[in-house]
PDB file of all heavy atoms in Angstrom:
ATOM      1  N   GLY H   1      23.761  13.445  -2.359  1.00  0.00           N
ATOM      2  CA  GLY H   1      23.094  12.217  -2.778  1.00  0.00           C
ATOM      3  C   GLY H   1      22.728  11.367  -1.586  1.00  0.00           C
ATOM      4  O   GLY H   1      23.490  11.276  -0.612  1.00  0.00           O
ATOM      5  N   LEU H   2      21.567  10.744  -1.646  1.00  0.00           N
ATOM      6  CA  LEU H   2      21.095   9.859  -0.575  1.00  0.00           C
ATOM      7  C   LEU H   2      20.575   8.573  -1.182  1.00  0.00           C
ATOM      8  O   LEU H   2      19.804   8.599  -2.151  1.00  0.00           O
ATOM      9  CB  LEU H   2      19.979  10.533   0.228  1.00  0.00           C
ATOM     10  CG  LEU H   2      19.159   9.638   1.180  1.00  0.00           C
ATOM     11  CD1 LEU H   2      20.045   9.032   2.259  1.00  0.00           C
ATOM     12  CD2 LEU H   2      18.020  10.430   1.797  1.00  0.00           C
ATOM     13  N   LEU H   3      21.016   7.458  -0.631  1.00  0.00           N
ATOM     14  CA  LEU H   3      20.433   6.180  -1.019  1.00  0.00           C
ATOM     15  C   LEU H   3      20.069   5.400   0.232  1.00  0.00           C
ATOM     16  O   LEU H   3      20.746   5.476   1.252  1.00  0.00           O
ATOM     17  CB  LEU H   3      21.387   5.371  -1.895  1.00  0.00           C
ATOM     18  CG  LEU H   3      22.699   4.871  -1.297  1.00  0.00           C
ATOM     19  CD1 LEU H   3      22.535   3.482  -0.663  1.00  0.00           C
ATOM     20  CD2 LEU H   3      23.778   4.809  -2.358  1.00  0.00           C
ATOM     21  N   VAL H   4      18.979   4.689   0.145  1.00  0.00           N
ATOM     22  CA  VAL H   4      18.572   3.755   1.195  1.00  0.00           C
ATOM     23  C   VAL H   4      18.764   2.367   0.620  1.00  0.00           C
ATOM     24  O   VAL H   4      18.138   2.017  -0.395  1.00  0.00           O
ATOM     25  CB  VAL H   4      17.111   3.976   1.625  1.00  0.00           C
ATOM     26  CG1 VAL H   4      16.696   2.924   2.647  1.00  0.00           C
ATOM     27  CG2 VAL H   4      16.936   5.377   2.209  1.00  0.00           C
ATOM     28  N   GLN H   5      19.657   1.593   1.219  1.00  0.00           N
ATOM     29  CA  GLN H   5      19.982   0.276   0.683  1.00  0.00           C
ATOM     30  C   GLN H   5      18.778  -0.651   0.787  1.00  0.00           C
ATOM     31  O   GLN H   5      18.220  -0.847   1.873  1.00  0.00           O
ATOM     32  CB  GLN H   5      21.176  -0.323   1.438  1.00  0.00           C
ATOM     33  CG  GLN H   5      21.701  -1.609   0.832  1.00  0.00           C
ATOM     34  CD  GLN H   5      22.307  -1.400  -0.545  1.00  0.00           C
ATOM     35  OE1 GLN H   5      23.064  -0.476  -0.770  1.00  0.00           O
ATOM     36  NE2 GLN H   5      21.964  -2.270  -1.481  1.00  0.00           N
ATOM     37  N   LEU H   6      18.374  -1.199  -0.328  1.00  0.00           N
ATOM     38  CA  LEU H   6      17.238  -2.127  -0.374  1.00  0.00           C
ATOM     39  C   LEU H   6      17.732  -3.555  -0.496  1.00  0.00           C
ATOM     40  O   LEU H   6      18.834  -3.793  -0.982  1.00  0.00           O
ATOM     41  CB  LEU H   6      16.334  -1.760  -1.568  1.00  0.00           C
ATOM     42  CG  LEU H   6      15.775  -0.338  -1.562  1.00  0.00           C
ATOM     43  CD1 LEU H   6      14.937  -0.111  -2.818  1.00  0.00           C
ATOM     44  CD2 LEU H   6      14.964  -0.053  -0.316  1.00  0.00           C
ATOM     45  N   PRO H   7      16.931  -4.527  -0.052  1.00  0.00           N
ATOM     46  CA  PRO H   7      15.576  -4.392   0.499  1.00  0.00           C
ATOM     47  C   PRO H   7      15.575  -3.983   1.958  1.00  0.00           C
ATOM     48  O   PRO H   7      16.553  -4.195   2.675  1.00  0.00           O
ATOM     49  CB  PRO H   7      15.006  -5.805   0.327  1.00  0.00           C
ATOM     50  CG  PRO H   7      16.199  -6.704   0.458  1.00  0.00           C
ATOM     51  CD  PRO H   7      17.331  -5.959  -0.191  1.00  0.00           C
ATOM     52  N   LEU H   8      14.434  -3.416   2.375  1.00  0.00           N
ATOM     53  CA  LEU H   8      14.221  -3.062   3.768  1.00  0.00           C
ATOM     54  C   LEU H   8      13.501  -4.202   4.481  1.00  0.00           C
ATOM     55  O   LEU H   8      12.845  -5.030   3.840  1.00  0.00           O
ATOM     56  CB  LEU H   8      13.364  -1.796   3.860  1.00  0.00           C
ATOM     57  CG  LEU H   8      13.991  -0.493   3.364  1.00  0.00           C
ATOM     58  CD1 LEU H   8      12.931   0.608   3.323  1.00  0.00           C
ATOM     59  CD2 LEU H   8      15.152  -0.081   4.246  1.00  0.00           C
ATOM     60  N   PRO H   9      13.592  -4.257   5.811  1.00  0.00           N
ATOM     61  CA  PRO H   9      12.808  -5.254   6.559  1.00  0.00           C
ATOM     62  C   PRO H   9      11.321  -5.103   6.262  1.00  0.00           C
ATOM     63  O   PRO H   9      10.840  -4.018   5.911  1.00  0.00           O
ATOM     64  CB  PRO H   9      13.128  -4.915   8.024  1.00  0.00           C
ATOM     65  CG  PRO H   9      14.459  -4.256   7.977  1.00  0.00           C
ATOM     66  CD  PRO H   9      14.475  -3.466   6.687  1.00  0.00           C
ATOM     67  N   ALA H  10      10.582  -6.191   6.436  1.00  0.00           N
ATOM     68  CA  ALA H  10       9.174  -6.243   6.019  1.00  0.00           C
ATOM     69  C   ALA H  10       8.289  -5.223   6.728  1.00  0.00           C
ATOM     70  O   ALA H  10       7.263  -4.794   6.172  1.00  0.00           O
ATOM     71  CB  ALA H  10       8.629  -7.650   6.237  1.00  0.00           C
ATOM     72  N   HIS H  11       8.643  -4.818   7.943  1.00  0.00           N
ATOM     73  CA  HIS H  11       7.765  -3.906   8.689  1.00  0.00           C
ATOM     74  C   HIS H  11       7.902  -2.453   8.227  1.00  0.00           C
ATOM     75  O   HIS H  11       7.135  -1.589   8.664  1.00  0.00           O
ATOM     76  CB  HIS H  11       8.042  -3.993  10.194  1.00  0.00           C
ATOM     77  CG  HIS H  11       9.357  -3.417  10.622  1.00  0.00           C
ATOM     78  ND1 HIS H  11      10.549  -4.097  10.463  1.00  0.00           N
ATOM     79  CD2 HIS H  11       9.681  -2.227  11.187  1.00  0.00           C
ATOM     80  CE1 HIS H  11      11.535  -3.355  10.939  1.00  0.00           C
ATOM     81  NE2 HIS H  11      11.034  -2.210  11.369  1.00  0.00           N
ATOM     82  N   LEU H  12       8.836  -2.188   7.336  1.00  0.00           N
ATOM     83  CA  LEU H  12       9.026  -0.835   6.814  1.00  0.00           C
ATOM     84  C   LEU H  12       8.483  -0.733   5.396  1.00  0.00           C
ATOM     85  O   LEU H  12       8.530  -1.694   4.633  1.00  0.00           O
ATOM     86  CB  LEU H  12      10.511  -0.460   6.828  1.00  0.00           C
ATOM     87  CG  LEU H  12      11.184  -0.428   8.203  1.00  0.00           C
ATOM     88  CD1 LEU H  12      12.687  -0.252   8.045  1.00  0.00           C
ATOM     89  CD2 LEU H  12      10.598   0.682   9.072  1.00  0.00           C
ATOM     90  N   SER H  13       7.979   0.432   5.047  1.00  0.00           N
ATOM     91  CA  SER H  13       7.403   0.642   3.721  1.00  0.00           C
ATOM     92  C   SER H  13       8.468   1.155   2.753  1.00  0.00           C
ATOM     93  O   SER H  13       8.891   2.314   2.827  1.00  0.00           O
ATOM     94  CB  SER H  13       6.255   1.660   3.791  1.00  0.00           C
ATOM     95  OG  SER H  13       5.851   2.041   2.486  1.00  0.00           O
ATOM     96  N   THR H  14       8.891   0.278   1.854  1.00  0.00           N
ATOM     97  CA  THR H  14       9.884   0.676   0.859  1.00  0.00           C
ATOM     98  C   THR H  14       9.356   1.806  -0.011  1.00  0.00           C
ATOM     99  O   THR H  14      10.063   2.791  -0.285  1.00  0.00           O
ATOM    100  CB  THR H  14      10.266  -0.525  -0.017  1.00  0.00           C
ATOM    101  OG1 THR H  14      10.870  -1.524   0.807  1.00  0.00           O
ATOM    102  CG2 THR H  14      11.234  -0.119  -1.112  1.00  0.00           C
ATOM    103  N   ARG H  15       8.113   1.677  -0.436  1.00  0.00           N
ATOM    104  CA  ARG H  15       7.531   2.700  -1.304  1.00  0.00           C
ATOM    105  C   ARG H  15       7.542   4.066  -0.617  1.00  0.00           C
ATOM    106  O   ARG H  15       7.922   5.077  -1.223  1.00  0.00           O
ATOM    107  CB  ARG H  15       6.100   2.306  -1.667  1.00  0.00           C
ATOM    108  CG  ARG H  15       5.387   3.327  -2.541  1.00  0.00           C
ATOM    109  CD  ARG H  15       3.988   2.873  -2.905  1.00  0.00           C
ATOM    110  NE  ARG H  15       3.304   3.850  -3.730  1.00  0.00           N
ATOM    111  CZ  ARG H  15       2.060   3.716  -4.173  1.00  0.00           C
ATOM    112  NH1 ARG H  15       1.384   2.624  -3.874  1.00  0.00           N
ATOM    113  NH2 ARG H  15       1.505   4.646  -4.907  1.00  0.00           N
ATOM    114  N   HIS H  16       7.144   4.082   0.648  1.00  0.00           N
ATOM    115  CA  HIS H  16       7.105   5.345   1.381  1.00  0.00           C
ATOM    116  C   HIS H  16       8.495   5.946   1.514  1.00  0.00           C
ATOM    117  O   HIS H  16       8.689   7.157   1.303  1.00  0.00           O
ATOM    118  CB  HIS H  16       6.499   5.104   2.767  1.00  0.00           C
ATOM    119  CG  HIS H  16       6.549   6.300   3.666  1.00  0.00           C
ATOM    120  ND1 HIS H  16       5.657   7.349   3.555  1.00  0.00           N
ATOM    121  CD2 HIS H  16       7.395   6.623   4.684  1.00  0.00           C
ATOM    122  CE1 HIS H  16       5.949   8.263   4.456  1.00  0.00           C
ATOM    123  NE2 HIS H  16       6.997   7.849   5.161  1.00  0.00           N
ATOM    124  N   VAL H  17       9.480   5.125   1.855  1.00  0.00           N
ATOM    125  CA  VAL H  17      10.841   5.624   2.053  1.00  0.00           C
ATOM    126  C   VAL H  17      11.406   6.171   0.752  1.00  0.00           C
ATOM    127  O   VAL H  17      11.994   7.261   0.723  1.00  0.00           O
ATOM    128  CB  VAL H  17      11.741   4.519   2.625  1.00  0.00           C
ATOM    129  CG1 VAL H  17      13.195   4.970   2.645  1.00  0.00           C
ATOM    130  CG2 VAL H  17      11.300   4.144   4.037  1.00  0.00           C
ATOM    131  N   VAL H  18      11.240   5.432  -0.323  1.00  0.00           N
ATOM    132  CA  VAL H  18      11.776   5.869  -1.625  1.00  0.00           C
ATOM    133  C   VAL H  18      11.171   7.201  -2.032  1.00  0.00           C
ATOM    134  O   VAL H  18      11.874   8.100  -2.522  1.00  0.00           O
ATOM    135  CB  VAL H  18      11.525   4.785  -2.691  1.00  0.00           C
ATOM    136  CG1 VAL H  18      11.803   5.341  -4.091  1.00  0.00           C
ATOM    137  CG2 VAL H  18      12.397   3.570  -2.425  1.00  0.00           C
ATOM    138  N   GLN H  19       9.856   7.359  -1.836  1.00  0.00           N
ATOM    139  CA  GLN H  19       9.204   8.609  -2.227  1.00  0.00           C
ATOM    140  C   GLN H  19       9.518   9.754  -1.274  1.00  0.00           C
ATOM    141  O   GLN H  19       9.288  10.919  -1.603  1.00  0.00           O
ATOM    142  CB  GLN H  19       7.688   8.409  -2.324  1.00  0.00           C
ATOM    143  CG  GLN H  19       7.254   7.381  -3.334  1.00  0.00           C
ATOM    144  CD  GLN H  19       7.962   7.507  -4.668  1.00  0.00           C
ATOM    145  OE1 GLN H  19       8.075   8.605  -5.223  1.00  0.00           O
ATOM    146  NE2 GLN H  19       8.454   6.398  -5.194  1.00  0.00           N
ATOM    147  N   SER H  20      10.059   9.424  -0.094  1.00  0.00           N
ATOM    148  CA  SER H  20      10.432  10.467   0.867  1.00  0.00           C
ATOM    149  C   SER H  20      11.747  11.148   0.494  1.00  0.00           C
ATOM    150  O   SER H  20      12.029  12.253   0.957  1.00  0.00           O
ATOM    151  CB  SER H  20      10.551   9.865   2.278  1.00  0.00           C
ATOM    152  OG  SER H  20       9.315   9.372   2.721  1.00  0.00           O
ATOM    153  N   ILE H  21      12.565  10.480  -0.307  1.00  0.00           N
ATOM    154  CA  ILE H  21      13.833  11.063  -0.745  1.00  0.00           C
ATOM    155  C   ILE H  21      13.546  12.094  -1.841  1.00  0.00           C
ATOM    156  O   ILE H  21      12.807  11.812  -2.784  1.00  0.00           O
ATOM    157  CB  ILE H  21      14.776   9.976  -1.296  1.00  0.00           C
ATOM    158  CG1 ILE H  21      15.058   8.923  -0.220  1.00  0.00           C
ATOM    159  CG2 ILE H  21      16.076  10.590  -1.801  1.00  0.00           C
ATOM    160  CD1 ILE H  21      15.798   7.706  -0.746  1.00  0.00           C
ATOM    161  N   ARG H  22      14.116  13.274  -1.701  1.00  0.00           N
ATOM    162  CA  ARG H  22      13.904  14.293  -2.721  1.00  0.00           C
ATOM    163  C   ARG H  22      14.441  13.806  -4.065  1.00  0.00           C
ATOM    164  O   ARG H  22      15.526  13.236  -4.134  1.00  0.00           O
ATOM    165  CB  ARG H  22      14.597  15.595  -2.330  1.00  0.00           C
ATOM    166  CG  ARG H  22      13.908  16.330  -1.200  1.00  0.00           C
ATOM    167  CD  ARG H  22      14.570  17.643  -0.894  1.00  0.00           C
ATOM    168  NE  ARG H  22      13.925  18.299   0.234  1.00  0.00           N
ATOM    169  CZ  ARG H  22      14.421  19.346   0.875  1.00  0.00           C
ATOM    170  NH1 ARG H  22      15.582  19.862   0.486  1.00  0.00           N
ATOM    171  NH2 ARG H  22      13.772  19.883   1.888  1.00  0.00           N
ATOM    172  N   ALA H  23      13.682  14.059  -5.115  1.00  0.00           N
ATOM    173  CA  ALA H  23      14.055  13.557  -6.441  1.00  0.00           C
ATOM    174  C   ALA H  23      15.441  14.022  -6.852  1.00  0.00           C
ATOM    175  O   ALA H  23      16.196  13.291  -7.498  1.00  0.00           O
ATOM    176  CB  ALA H  23      13.016  13.990  -7.473  1.00  0.00           C
ATOM    177  N   GLU H  24      15.821  15.238  -6.456  1.00  0.00           N
ATOM    178  CA  GLU H  24      17.121  15.777  -6.851  1.00  0.00           C
ATOM    179  C   GLU H  24      18.269  15.204  -6.028  1.00  0.00           C
ATOM    180  O   GLU H  24      19.443  15.460  -6.342  1.00  0.00           O
ATOM    181  CB  GLU H  24      17.125  17.299  -6.774  1.00  0.00           C
ATOM    182  CG  GLU H  24      16.863  17.880  -5.398  1.00  0.00           C
ATOM    183  CD  GLU H  24      15.390  18.163  -5.141  1.00  0.00           C
ATOM    184  OE1 GLU H  24      14.534  17.481  -5.741  1.00  0.00           O
ATOM    185  OE2 GLU H  24      15.115  19.080  -4.342  1.00  0.00           O
ATOM    186  N   LYS H  25      17.977  14.426  -4.975  1.00  0.00           N
ATOM    187  CA  LYS H  25      19.012  13.727  -4.218  1.00  0.00           C
ATOM    188  C   LYS H  25      18.902  12.213  -4.380  1.00  0.00           C
ATOM    189  O   LYS H  25      19.696  11.459  -3.826  1.00  0.00           O
ATOM    190  CB  LYS H  25      18.934  14.079  -2.725  1.00  0.00           C
ATOM    191  CG  LYS H  25      19.362  15.502  -2.403  1.00  0.00           C
ATOM    192  CD  LYS H  25      19.563  15.724  -0.908  1.00  0.00           C
ATOM    193  CE  LYS H  25      20.049  17.134  -0.626  1.00  0.00           C
ATOM    194  NZ  LYS H  25      20.355  17.345   0.814  1.00  0.00           N
ATOM    195  N   ASP H  26      17.940  11.788  -5.171  1.00  0.00           N
ATOM    196  CA  ASP H  26      17.643  10.369  -5.362  1.00  0.00           C
ATOM    197  C   ASP H  26      18.617   9.749  -6.359  1.00  0.00           C
ATOM    198  O   ASP H  26      18.275   9.445  -7.505  1.00  0.00           O
ATOM    199  CB  ASP H  26      16.192  10.230  -5.853  1.00  0.00           C
ATOM    200  CG  ASP H  26      15.843   8.832  -6.320  1.00  0.00           C
ATOM    201  OD1 ASP H  26      16.295   7.862  -5.689  1.00  0.00           O
ATOM    202  OD2 ASP H  26      15.116   8.727  -7.332  1.00  0.00           O
ATOM    203  N   VAL H  27      19.868   9.555  -5.924  1.00  0.00           N
ATOM    204  CA  VAL H  27      20.899   9.066  -6.839  1.00  0.00           C
ATOM    205  C   VAL H  27      20.653   7.624  -7.284  1.00  0.00           C
ATOM    206  O   VAL H  27      21.242   7.161  -8.258  1.00  0.00           O
ATOM    207  CB  VAL H  27      22.304   9.198  -6.223  1.00  0.00           C
ATOM    208  CG1 VAL H  27      22.714  10.657  -6.140  1.00  0.00           C
ATOM    209  CG2 VAL H  27      22.378   8.537  -4.846  1.00  0.00           C
ATOM    210  N   ASP H  28      19.778   6.897  -6.590  1.00  0.00           N
ATOM    211  CA  ASP H  28      19.394   5.560  -7.046  1.00  0.00           C
ATOM    212  C   ASP H  28      18.422   5.625  -8.217  1.00  0.00           C
ATOM    213  O   ASP H  28      18.221   4.636  -8.925  1.00  0.00           O
ATOM    214  CB  ASP H  28      18.755   4.763  -5.903  1.00  0.00           C
ATOM    215  CG  ASP H  28      19.754   3.920  -5.138  1.00  0.00           C
ATOM    216  OD1 ASP H  28      20.755   3.495  -5.749  1.00  0.00           O
ATOM    217  OD2 ASP H  28      19.537   3.659  -3.942  1.00  0.00           O
ATOM    218  N   GLY H  29      17.761   6.777  -8.390  1.00  0.00           N
ATOM    219  CA  GLY H  29      16.822   6.933  -9.505  1.00  0.00           C
ATOM    220  C   GLY H  29      15.508   6.216  -9.323  1.00  0.00           C
ATOM    221  O   GLY H  29      14.834   5.898 -10.307  1.00  0.00           O
ATOM    222  N   PHE H  30      15.083   5.976  -8.070  1.00  0.00           N
ATOM    223  CA  PHE H  30      13.870   5.200  -7.801  1.00  0.00           C
ATOM    224  C   PHE H  30      12.623   6.054  -7.584  1.00  0.00           C
ATOM    225  O   PHE H  30      11.505   5.534  -7.600  1.00  0.00           O
ATOM    226  CB  PHE H  30      14.051   4.331  -6.549  1.00  0.00           C
ATOM    227  CG  PHE H  30      15.117   3.274  -6.674  1.00  0.00           C
ATOM    228  CD1 PHE H  30      15.704   2.734  -5.535  1.00  0.00           C
ATOM    229  CD2 PHE H  30      15.528   2.802  -7.914  1.00  0.00           C
ATOM    230  CE1 PHE H  30      16.675   1.748  -5.636  1.00  0.00           C
ATOM    231  CE2 PHE H  30      16.502   1.832  -8.026  1.00  0.00           C
ATOM    232  CZ  PHE H  30      17.075   1.302  -6.878  1.00  0.00           C
ATOM    233  N   HIS H  31      12.798   7.347  -7.333  1.00  0.00           N
ATOM    234  CA  HIS H  31      11.657   8.208  -7.026  1.00  0.00           C
ATOM    235  C   HIS H  31      10.679   8.223  -8.197  1.00  0.00           C
ATOM    236  O   HIS H  31      11.078   8.157  -9.364  1.00  0.00           O
ATOM    237  CB  HIS H  31      12.150   9.620  -6.717  1.00  0.00           C
ATOM    238  CG  HIS H  31      11.119  10.519  -6.117  1.00  0.00           C
ATOM    239  ND1 HIS H  31      10.145  11.134  -6.877  1.00  0.00           N
ATOM    240  CD2 HIS H  31      10.899  10.906  -4.824  1.00  0.00           C
ATOM    241  CE1 HIS H  31       9.384  11.871  -6.089  1.00  0.00           C
ATOM    242  NE2 HIS H  31       9.818  11.749  -4.837  1.00  0.00           N
ATOM    243  N   ALA H  32       9.388   8.341  -7.881  1.00  0.00           N
ATOM    244  CA  ALA H  32       8.354   8.318  -8.930  1.00  0.00           C
ATOM    245  C   ALA H  32       8.573   9.408  -9.970  1.00  0.00           C
ATOM    246  O   ALA H  32       8.291   9.216 -11.158  1.00  0.00           O
ATOM    247  CB  ALA H  32       6.974   8.454  -8.297  1.00  0.00           C
ATOM    248  N   GLU H  33       9.085  10.551  -9.538  1.00  0.00           N
ATOM    249  CA  GLU H  33       9.350  11.639 -10.490  1.00  0.00           C
ATOM    250  C   GLU H  33      10.424  11.235 -11.490  1.00  0.00           C
ATOM    251  O   GLU H  33      10.296  11.476 -12.698  1.00  0.00           O
ATOM    252  CB  GLU H  33       9.768  12.904  -9.747  1.00  0.00           C
ATOM    253  CG  GLU H  33       9.977  14.102 -10.656  1.00  0.00           C
ATOM    254  CD  GLU H  33      10.261  15.392  -9.905  1.00  0.00           C
ATOM    255  OE1 GLU H  33       9.989  15.443  -8.687  1.00  0.00           O
ATOM    256  OE2 GLU H  33      10.755  16.346 -10.538  1.00  0.00           O
TER     257      GLU H  33
END
């Protein structure tokens, strides 16, 4: 399982980071899938 603690600093793309996590490791449940 991988989680990225939100919120991120403004210069980073939250949307990009969340979608970069594989859906099957996205234990936060935020991935678009």
